[in-house]
Amino acid sequence: MSPPDPIEPSSPPAMDSALPAAVVATILSHLDVRSLLATSAVCRCFRSCASHALTFLPSFHLLEVALTHELLRPLLSPNPSLRSLRLDCSRLEDAAIGCLARTGLNELTLLNCDNISGRLLRELGSTCQDLRVLSLHSLAERRGLPISFSDLQELLNGCSQLESLRLALDFSMFDDPNFSHVWASASEALTSLEIGYIPMIMLLELLTVTMESQQSMDHVKTPVFFPSLQKLCLSVDFITDHLIGSISTALPSLTHLDLQDAPIIEPTTSSDLTNAGLQKINPNGKLKHISLMRSQEFLFTSFRRVNDLGILLMAEKCSNLESVCLGGFSRVTDTGFRAIIHSCSGLHKLRVSHGSQLTDLVFHDIIATSLCLTHVSLRWCNLLTDVGIERLSFNKDLNILDLRECRSLGDEAVRSLSCLPKLQILLLDGTDISDQALKYLGLGTCPLASLSLRGCRKLTNDCIPLLFAGSVKHNLQVLDLSRIPSITDDGIMLLARSRTPLIELRMRENPKIGDTAVMALASMLVDGGTHGSSLRLLDLYDCGRITPLAIRWFKKPYFPRLRWLGVTGSLNRVMVDALVRSRPFLHMASRGEELGTLHWETFSDWYRHNDDDFDELEQWLLDGDLSVAETSLEE
């Protein structure tokens, strides 16, 4: 009897036979855009279902890469279900306006709109009548692009349902005799208004018209300006007593007030904030957040006419505050700052910058209060020492702590912070810490996700293994080692050997960092992934020993996830340009600009994507999957 024929191993069933396409499509409809495009690389069935899912996806959020119009158009096929759109528009021009201004949108967030003209505002007004949330950044900033008052007018007239409006641009472009009155047509449901910069004359005229509309006794009903406005964020020429009083009178429902100025000349008494102006804040007792910041971008100045008395008067009326941000109050001492801490029992966020007279006494008896601080920023407070931070560390709910440029802080301050159970973000730029401080962090238990050590000149290569000796390596995603002269290639090699899955690494302006560091990072394997697979941002600007040889290590398959790269502009331009062409989704910066975005209100929005071994998004867009989306669109 002959032996039975060997059993041939059966091949797994095709996906389309294992699961109906309708079931797969339903599952994919619950994924975000990046995950959807990653799934498309699995098989032909998934690719087809992913293309179809894009036609009824309710949200299209893609901020980590900047697409051209040719790549974006087939992905944004006609979709009556689309309600939310968020994009980086740095590679888009006016030709893409038709893709952006879509009927049915409720939310639209567009970053880096430098190359798009004011026509976008006009199109949004005529097309997006259901828009509730609109956020535009840097619109028409490229020289020569037109933007006018009529564009703003069309936007306000057409988008009658707006609840939140953020226009991060220069409002002097809208200077017109009718500027104030056009806001009468703005949505009555508008609760949040954020403006990049507005000239003082235009702002005061708008506030005057707003007050007049509220006080009108005419029998003919006149429109009331901003009846529901609760949040106002502005950048102005000067923060003055008159401005504070006008805002408090014109906008009685405010719960959130954020004002910043950047004087180019020293303010006079009439054009400055005084104690009397602070007394006008919050007459109705509704404020939950107050931010008064004086930037020193153009002139080293401060609120010289405000002292402890002004802060005490403000604290009496602002006992319900949950967030306080004060910048440039150089004459306010511990007495004033303590008044805020002891008066505002519900305070969660405290930010003080350039507090030249703030000392350890501010936190002397903080343990006796009921405060539950989660966000604290104390930048440029040079009289603050380790003792004050030790007192502050009694607040066990601290999640974010910014101590940049507090030059009197040392190792013992870090030791007291190392066991905070909720501390995720710690910024220590310019402090006087040594390697011992990193040893305390390494042996500690705080779940750090972001650590900045920029300008901590006492640190050496030895701090790297000390930091990653404990549990820190399991959570840390963002690390800044810039401007530390003793950090060399050897230190970066130690970092690579630790296999910490960093997403962002900054090493700018380090004279001893060179090509070897780049090679070590490019060769680093994290959790079995491809070489350098976890890094999305790498800043090497003005590293003294980087040569054109390093550029070759940024070609694939190395650094497949990289989205931001900072290098020195004097490197071989031919090689840099070739790298840009080969990796079109890589943001290259060579003029020293900071990479990525960090904002006070978004410090805790850290997100780590669990990716596979290659970048499926780039694979989809560059290697032919685009044609599938185009075919789906034609069908």
Side-chain angles (χ1 to χ4, degrees), residues 449-497:
S450 177
L451 175 64
S452 182
L453 305 169
R454 180 177 297 198
C456 296
R457 303 180 68 84
K458 287 186 176 181
L459 297 180
T460 68
N461 288 335
D462 293 337
C463 75
I464 303 295
L466 292 174
L467 176 63
F468 296 117
S471 61
V472 169
K473 64 179 297 182
H474 301 303
N475 298 302
L476 197 64
Q477 301 176 26
V478 180
L479 179 62
D480 193 336
L481 298 173
S482 303
R483 299 175 190 161
I484 305 178
S486 297
I487 294 290
T488 69
D489 290 343
D490 292 338
I492 305 306
M493 291 180 69
L494 292 172
L495 188 153
R497 288 172 186 165

Side-chain angles (χ1 to χ4, degrees), residues 159-179:
C159 297
S160 58
Q161 306 298 319
L162 274 176
E163 298 172 3
S164 175
L165 176 61
R166 182 177 188 183
L167 298 177
L169 44 110
D170 185 350
F171 263 53
S172 63
M173 298 182 294
F174 302 130
D175 191 11
D176 186 273
N178 294 317
F179 173 78

Side-chain angles (χ1 to χ4, degrees), residues 48 69 121 123 170 174 182 212 246 262 289 316 332 356 396 400 418 436 547 604-605 614 618 628:
S48 176
H69 183 214
L121 299 178
E123 292 296 327
D170 185 350
F174 302 130
V182 75
E212 290 174 351
S246 299
H289 168 90
E316 287 181 0
V332 176
S356 56
K396 299 302 181 182
I400 296 171
S418 61
Q436 183 65 36
T547 72
S604 59
D605 294 337
F614 63 95
E618 197 164 329
V628 177

Side-chain angles (χ1 to χ4, degrees), residues 13-16 19 24 28 31 34-50 612 614 616-617 619-620 625:
M15 185 58 68
D16 53 357
L19 279 176
V24 175
L28 296 187
L31 301 180
R34 181 178 174 85
S35 300
L36 189 62
L37 299 183
T39 305
S40 70
V42 173
C43 66
R44 189 177 301 242
C45 173
F46 273 32
R47 188 158 56 242
S48 176
C49 291
D612 293 324
F614 63 95
E616 300 87 352
L617 172 60
Q619 188 87 359
W620 167 284
D625 291 323

Side-chain angles (χ1 to χ4, degrees), residues 478-612:
V478 180
L479 179 62
D480 193 336
L481 298 173
S482 303
R483 299 175 190 161
I484 305 178
S486 297
I487 294 290
T488 69
D489 290 343
D490 292 338
I492 305 306
M493 291 180 69
L494 292 172
L495 188 153
R497 288 172 186 165
S498 74
R499 296 190 176 184
T500 303
L502 293 175
I503 292 176
E504 299 183 10
L505 177 61
R506 294 172 174 85
M507 303 183 295
R508 61 191 293 129
E509 301 174 43
N510 281 339
K512 298 180 181 179
I513 294 292
D515 298 343
T516 303
V518 176
M519 296 177 195
L521 293 172
S523 305
M524 181 173 63
L525 293 175
V526 177
D527 296 333
T530 52
H531 300 288
S533 61
S534 65
L535 279 175
R536 294 186 178 277
L537 183 152
L538 180 60
D539 193 349
L540 300 168
Y541 175 75
D542 205 20
C543 286
R545 297 181 181 176
I546 295 290
T547 72
L549 175 63
I551 298 297
R552 300 180 181 180
W553 287 89
F554 292 107
K555 297 179 180 179
K556 288 191 172 182
Y558 301 105
F559 299 108
R561 307 290 180 199
L562 203 62
R563 287 290 171 259
W564 291 276
L565 174 62
V567 294
T568 305
S570 60
L571 285 175
N572 188 303
R573 289 307 309 177
V574 174
M575 296 183 67
V576 172
D577 292 343
L579 178 61
V580 170
R581 289 193 298 271
S582 66
R583 302 191 66 168
F585 302 114
L586 181 63
H587 296 265
M588 290 281 292
S590 57
R591 295 180 302 221
E593 57 267 45
E594 293 288 347
L595 303 180
T597 55
L598 287 178
H599 302 286
W600 172 256
E601 293 298 337
T602 58
F603 266 161
S604 59
D605 294 337
W606 299 105
Y607 173 69
R608 180 178 175 186
H609 201 287
N610 294 321
D611 295 303
D612 293 324

Side-chain angles (χ1 to χ4, degrees), residues 216-266:
S216 175
M217 301 296 292
D218 296 341
H219 295 292
V220 179
K221 184 179 179 181
T222 58
V224 178
F225 289 60
F226 310 117
S228 306
L229 196 65
Q230 298 179 9
K231 179 178 180 179
L232 180 65
C233 302
L234 303 171
S235 178
V236 296
D237 302 300
F238 299 103
I239 299 175
T240 68
D241 291 353
H242 181 45
L243 176 61
I244 295 292
S246 299
I247 291 175
S248 298
T249 304
L251 305 171
S253 299
L254 280 186
T255 61
H256 185 121
L257 178 60
D258 189 330
L259 298 176
Q260 176 174 321
D261 67 8
I264 58 176
I265 60 173
E266 187 64 38

